[in-house]
Amino acid sequence: MTTVPLRRAVLLVLREKAEVVHSDSTGAVLHSSTMAFSVPSVIRLLRYIRVPYRRRIPLTRVALMRRDGYHCAYCDRRAETIDHVIPRSRGGQHVWENVVAACRSCNHRKADRLLEELGWKLRVTPTVPRGIHWRLINGDHHTDPLWAPYMARVKV
Ligand SMILES: [Zn+2]
């Protein structure tokens, strides 16, 4: 199970590389000059083909909190904020390897200082998450209800 843009899903069906399992619940129909076509919501590939995807998982708040399990990287309490390990004001980048979930208190105490300056240590090394389920997490906000039974098979 993976998600693909609608345009790609339609092309896969038109090229007979996939079949429609569920049409879109809104009953939307696409029209071309020669045919009408129910908007697919779930398609099944008829044979394995590689579905290309962006190599790097987009860094979002939701995805970061999932990666770190809502645990503060410094004290393990519940995290509500995003902390740049090397502060942006000190040249730190907004990338997976430099962001961690942090509680408000640690984030506030750390401010724009480096860990060495505070004598703090990270509980975990921040890394780029890998695996197809990370793409689904970022799609949470526009998940079609019809996808639920398929999504359930993906361990998130
Ligand atoms: Zn904390």
Side-chain angles (χ1 to χ4, degrees), residues 1-147:
M1 172 75 193
T2 186
T3 55
V4 293
L6 177 60
R7 191 184 129 78
R8 174 139 174 96
V10 170
L11 287 175
L12 287 170
V13 174
L14 289 177
R15 289 176 186 156
E16 298 181 342
K17 287 182 175 167
E19 61 185 5
V20 177
V21 178
H22 286 299
S23 294
D24 184 90
S25 47
T26 60
V29 176
L30 293 172
H31 292 274
S32 74
S33 51
T34 52
M35 63 185 291
F37 190 86
S38 289
V39 173
S41 176
V42 178
I43 61 172
R44 177 189 297 130
L45 293 174
L46 298 177
R47 60 176 178 275
Y48 180 77
I49 56 159
R50 200 176 138 72
V51 178
Y53 54 83
R54 278 177 296 170
R55 204 165 289 152
R56 223 173 147 88
I57 312 288
L59 171 52
T60 63
R61 185 191 151 77
V62 172
L64 173 68
M65 289 300 173
R66 292 274 186 116
R67 186 197 70 180
D68 293 2
Y70 286 87
H71 287 285
C72 175
Y74 305 109
C75 73
D76 205 24
R77 276 182 300 207
R78 187 170 172 83
E80 307 97 356
T81 66
I82 295 172
D83 179 59
H84 291 91
V85 180
I86 300 170
R88 302 209 74 177
S89 61
R90 308 281 288 266
Q93 287 188 301
H94 186 66
V95 293
W96 281 108
E97 296 90 336
N98 191 45
V99 294
V100 290
C103 72
R104 246 178 257 288
S105 153
C106 288
N107 203 333
H108 184 72
R109 280 165 55 209
K110 182 168 172 287
D112 62 349
R113 282 175 291 183
L114 300 172
L115 297 186
E116 303 88 273
E117 295 169 354
L118 290 152
W120 286 13
K121 279 207 174 96
L122 285 170
R123 291 171 33 256
V124 285
T125 306
T127 55
V128 182
R130 298 189 191 286
I132 205 79
H133 59 283
W134 285 96
R135 289 167 205 293
L136 303 179
I137 288 169
N138 280 332
D140 273 354
H141 54 286
H142 55 79
T143 298
D144 187 318
L146 280 174
W147 296 356

